Amino acid sequence: MGILQYREVTKRYGSSLALDHLDLDLEPGRIVGLLGPNGAGKTTMIKMAAGLIKPSAGTVLVDGMEPGKETKAETAYLSDRVVFSDYMTAQDLVKMHEEFFKDFDRKKAVDMLISLGIKGSMKVGEMSKGTKEKLQLILVMSRRAKVYLLDEPVGGVDPAARDYILDTIITNYSPDALVVISTHLISEVESVLDDIVFVKEGKIFLHRPADELREENGKSVEELFKGVFKC
């Protein structure tokens, strides 16, 4: 049984159908690429696992439990939008996360801040969009979570920082944890992905190991994606 499961999950926003009887089972110890065009349902899936929205029908399970207080304690969620208050400093946010999450590693967070040149005294309102996103990722990856849900983790950072960020992801999660990365920058993250999930029109179109896909088709995941979605 996977650590993250979607069972016949449907989600409607008014008359719009975001997820359509979606089934998916994700195992721990894997880095999974959740890939699909805009509007495919990727962010909805991640927010459900994070306990931020509920399905209209069906069931989502994290470590055997429906998302709630208990699962939030073992799920680290990176939003596709920066949600920090402008007046807070990087140091304030480290302290807040340390107090809020029992699994937060303060030393790891401080070391990553130093590596990326983010001063503890710097206020969020003074940071560039890319720096805010780096800070947000640092705080998420400094937790020892069972499930990491990363929505566009490299979308707003400069190319020079992407390798560092991907290295941060693959070196700072537990080997028995699950990492789910939703992104449209497939070529940037393909090298770190163990499994590929294509989401199309609210359903799972494909779920396969990345190496098997490349070997069988003789193409990169990005090339396969373009073929499937006719980009």
Side-chain angles (χ1 to χ4, degrees):
M1 185 172 69
I3 195 168
L4 176 56
Q5 301 172 65
Y6 299 80
R7 293 285 179 262
E8 287 287 306
V9 173
T10 295
K11 180 61 180 178
R12 293 185 180 276
Y13 296 103
S15 61
S16 176
L17 184 62
L19 299 178
D20 184 8
H21 296 86
L22 180 142
D23 283 294
L24 182 64
D25 201 323
L26 298 178
E27 300 289 336
R30 310 289 284 177
I31 300 180
V32 179
L34 191 62
L35 312 176
N38 291 337
K42 305 186 301 299
T43 293
T44 296
M45 291 175 65
I46 285 180
K47 285 184 174 180
M48 279 184 182
L52 298 177
I53 58 176
K54 294 185 177 183
S56 304
T59 305
V60 178
L61 296 176
V62 178
D63 201 13
M65 301 174 284
E66 291 192 18
K69 184 178 179 181
E70 290 185 348
T71 63
K72 286 181 180 180
E74 56 188 48
T75 302
Y77 167 62
L78 177 75
S79 172
D80 60 342
R81 298 180 181 179
V82 177
V83 294
F84 303 139
S85 299
D86 285 350
Y87 68 87
M88 298 190 79
T89 65
Q91 186 173 311
D92 291 336
L93 288 163
V94 168
K95 182 179 180 181
M96 183 181 76
H97 279 68
E98 184 179 24
E99 292 173 351
F100 196 77
F101 296 107
K102 292 181 180 179
D103 62 359
F104 188 79
D105 187 331
R106 179 185 178 87
K107 183 181 183 302
K108 183 183 288 185
V110 171
D111 288 346
M112 285 193 279
L113 286 172
I114 292 170
S115 295
L116 282 175
I118 301 175
K119 294 181 179 179
S121 59
M122 186 181 293
K123 292 184 178 181
V124 172
E126 300 169 343
M127 298 177 185
S128 66
K129 183 175 183 289
T131 299
K132 291 176 186 177
E133 294 191 354
K134 292 173 192 174
L135 172 60
Q136 190 167 243
L137 181 65
I138 286 170
L139 295 170
V140 169
M141 297 311 299
S142 293
R143 290 183 55 196
R144 294 183 296 276
K146 290 185 177 181
V147 177
Y148 296 86
L149 304 164
L150 311 180
D151 201 354
E152 295 292 351
V154 296
V157 301
D158 56 277
R162 285 177 188 161
D163 286 345
Y164 178 88
I165 286 173
L166 291 173
D167 185 63
T168 297
I169 292 170
I170 63 177
T171 59
N172 287 282
Y173 84 101
S174 171
D176 58 355
L178 167 69
V179 180
V180 180
I181 301 176
S182 171
T183 184
H184 65 280
L185 297 174
I186 301 171
S187 63
E188 300 290 344
V189 304
E190 181 173 344
S191 63
V192 307
L193 300 179
D194 297 311
D195 297 321
I196 303 299
V197 175
F198 283 173
V199 187
K200 187 174 184 180
E201 297 176 351
K203 295 183 178 182
I204 301 303
F205 179 82
L206 174 151
H207 178 200
R208 296 281 301 282
D211 287 343
E212 282 186 13
L213 277 177
R214 284 188 286 261
E215 288 173 9
E216 288 181 9
N217 295 276
K219 296 179 180 180
S220 69
V221 172
E222 183 176 35
E223 289 171 328
L224 289 169
F225 179 93
K226 289 178 177 179
V228 169
F229 297 101
K230 295 181 172 62
C231 295

